[in-house]
Amino acid sequence: RKEVEQDPGPFNVPEGATVAFNCTYSNSASQSFFWYRQDCRKEPKLLMSVYSSGNEDGRFTAQLNRASQYISLLIRDSKLSDSATYLCVVSRRALTFGSGTRLQVQP
Amino acid sequence: GAVVSQHPSRVICKSGTSVKIECRSLDFQATTMFWYRQFPKQSLMLMATSNEGSKATYEQGVEKDKFLINHASLTLSTLTVTSAHPEDSSFYICSAPPGGAGFEQFFGPGTRLTVL
């Protein structure tokens, strides 16, 4: 079983749609949680950290459920520029990446 | 935000040659840096942890004699792929955590290695 599991997608959504990504992790000792975004053939870039209290950054909302070892990302009002692969990441020391969920926002 | 540079961005080499990749933290010091590898359509996989002033720690299945890591200073780590073969062709990315290991990390732009 992978340490971080994600639905690979792709998610094909129209502009303006709301889309939700889910992720589960297996190591209960994980300390930090993130969502990264990776564009094709580029390095990952931090989208946002994830906290149990939930956090929001503009159109993006992330949530962590430690009891269920479950992380989510909600994107509202999708833009074409949101098209990318979204990586669920957990950390004890180094980062452990999920395989990513590909999002394609269509006009 | 913090900046991590990586050089070269792309390298094509013949089988059997060695390739050195540099990773620098430009505006912070990093006692720890991480090296990842990403094959097409796969996620990033941690190869090794580079520790300033001590030996690198390698993940299971990564040959330490093939992937030599040197953390020469608080801002520079190098990865040398020795006697490269076509199966070593991949996207190599380094990262460094400005806040220390376990916290968010900033990534270099990556090095795309193609071994002919």
Side-chain angles (χ1 to χ4, degrees), chain A residues 9-74:
Chain A
F11 283 54
N12 296 304
V13 303
E15 272 187 289
T18 296
V19 60
F21 302 142
N22 303 317
C23 165
T24 57
Y25 61 97
S26 60
N27 193 326
S28 59
S30 299
Q31 297 171 334
S32 304
F33 307 88
F34 310 96
W35 283 101
Y36 277 76
R37 169 193 170 132
Q38 186 174 26
D39 293 286
C40 189
R41 302 173 77 85
K42 299 282 189 182
E43 77 277 19
K45 291 189 186 297
L46 179 67
L47 181 65
M48 57 199 306
S49 301
V50 189
Y51 307 108
S52 298
S53 55
N55 49 308
E56 185 174 312
D57 183 2
R59 297 181 293 109
F60 299 85
T61 301
Q63 189 75 48
L64 165 67
N65 185 319
R66 282 188 182 267
S68 302
Q69 296 181 194
Y70 172 92
I71 305 166
S72 65
L73 176 67
L74 184 74

Side-chain angles (χ1 to χ4, degrees), chain A residues 31-32 34 36 38 40-46 49 87 91-100, chain B residues 10 32 34 36 38 42-44 46 49 51 91 93 101-110 112:
Chain A
Q31 297 171 334
S32 304
F34 310 96
Y36 277 76
Q38 186 174 26
C40 189
R41 302 173 77 85
K42 299 282 189 182
E43 77 277 19
K45 291 189 186 297
L46 179 67
S49 301
L87 304 168
S91 172
R92 293 188 305 282
R93 181 172 166 81
L95 300 183
T96 301
F97 288 81
S99 55
Chain B
R10 182 185 295 267
T32 302
F34 301 95
Y36 297 83
Q38 186 175 33
Q42 295 185 25
S43 189
L44 280 78
L46 179 66
T49 302
N51 304 299
F91 191 43
I93 308 177
F103 295 90
E104 67 180 274
Q105 297 183 21
F106 290 88
F107 286 83
R112 190 160 299 281

Side-chain angles (χ1 to χ4, degrees), chain A residues 76-90:
Chain A
R76 291 181 297 278
D77 190 22
S78 300
K79 311 290 184 191
L80 294 175
S81 57
D82 294 333
S83 298
T85 297
Y86 290 83
L87 304 168
C88 176
V89 182
V90 303

Side-chain angles (χ1 to χ4, degrees), chain B residues 1-80:
Chain B
V3 178
V4 176
S5 72
Q6 205 172 322
H7 177 80
S9 58
R10 182 185 295 267
V11 59
I12 301 173
C13 68
K14 292 182 180 179
S15 186
T17 59
S18 293
V19 175
K20 180 189 273 189
I21 303 170
E22 292 187 349
C23 177
R24 293 180 186 272
S25 56
L26 297 185
D27 51 0
F28 65 97
Q29 294 182 331
T31 56
T32 302
M33 292 184 178
F34 301 95
W35 287 96
Y36 297 83
R37 180 167 55 182
Q38 186 175 33
F39 292 106
K41 298 187 187 297
Q42 295 185 25
S43 189
L44 280 78
M45 296 297 295
L46 179 66
M47 297 177 66
T49 302
S50 175
N51 304 299
E52 191 271 335
S54 63
K55 291 182 180 179
T57 51
Y58 290 80
E59 296 301 299
Q60 192 172 10
V62 178
E63 300 175 57
K64 63 180 181 181
D65 294 330
K66 180 169 181 64
F67 298 99
L68 301 178
I69 291 174
N70 182 7
H71 201 131
S73 73
L74 287 170
T75 59
L76 173 63
S77 174
T78 60
L79 168 68
T80 300

